[in-house]
Amino acid sequence: MLDMSWGEVMLIGGVALIVIGPKDLPKALRTLGQVTTKVRRMAGEFQHQFNEAIREAELDEVRRDVEGVKRTVDAAKPGFNPVDTIRNEIRSAVEGRTGAPAGTSTTTPSDTGSFDVPRPASEPAAAQAASPATAKPETGKPETGPTS
């Protein structure tokens, strides 16, 4: 109550009793209470409107930030396609594993065709390719183990 001690309140009450008089004092105190209630209500409404204005200002700022991010993404969209990027990385890894020399990839970043997986060679071609390195010379004798 505005940092007043009980002694100060009693002094103000005594002066009010003498100045206003005992007959009009209850009416004056009632009016003082109503005015205090109105002032508190107005202060609460002001504070609510002030907080609402701050919230709206923050929302406008967030809205501007989101629109800026959206513009940035839209500007970067034509040059960035994650599906094509991943497709090209997988294709180059597969071609590198099958023995294609580095730098001979025929794919381009704008290539949007289907992903063609290299198929293994047919059985006779695979056996023929592997025969010089793994085939043993035929001697006409069955292998039975080490000979002494």
Side-chain angles (χ1 to χ4, degrees), residues 2-59:
L2 301 176
D3 290 335
M4 291 191 291
S5 67
W6 283 104
E8 292 171 340
V9 172
M10 294 299 278
L11 181 65
I12 292 172
V15 171
L17 185 61
I18 293 171
V19 172
I20 296 174
K23 188 176 184 183
D24 295 328
L25 188 60
K27 186 178 179 183
L29 290 176
R30 189 176 307 117
T31 305
L32 180 66
Q34 290 172 350
V35 169
T36 304
T37 303
K38 286 181 182 180
V39 168
R40 284 185 180 178
R41 189 176 303 133
M42 287 172 51
E45 288 176 8
F46 175 76
Q47 186 176 9
H48 177 71
Q49 289 177 352
F50 184 75
N51 289 339
E52 186 69 25
I54 288 175
R55 230 178 281 127
E56 286 177 7
E58 288 174 353
L59 287 176

Side-chain angles (χ1 to χ4, degrees), residues 36-144:
T36 304
T37 303
K38 286 181 182 180
V39 168
R40 284 185 180 178
R41 189 176 303 133
M42 287 172 51
E45 288 176 8
F46 175 76
Q47 186 176 9
H48 177 71
Q49 289 177 352
F50 184 75
N51 289 339
E52 186 69 25
I54 288 175
R55 230 178 281 127
E56 286 177 7
E58 288 174 353
L59 287 176
D60 287 342
E61 182 179 330
V62 169
R63 189 177 299 124
R64 276 186 260 123
D65 290 344
V66 168
E67 288 174 358
V69 168
K70 184 179 177 184
R71 280 192 302 268
T72 304
V73 169
D74 289 343
K77 195 179 283 186
F80 178 69
N81 189 344
V83 175
D84 286 340
T85 304
I86 293 170
R87 180 184 298 132
N88 293 334
E89 287 178 7
I90 291 172
R91 185 175 286 154
S92 66
V94 168
E95 289 173 356
R97 186 171 30 119
T98 60
T104 61
S105 175
T106 60
T107 62
T108 61
S110 64
D111 184 17
T112 58
S114 65
F115 182 61
D116 297 327
V117 178
R119 305 260 185 240
S122 63
E123 285 292 326
Q128 193 175 33
S131 65
T134 59
K136 296 196 180 225
E138 291 188 33
T139 59
K141 294 195 280 181
E143 262 187 58
T144 58

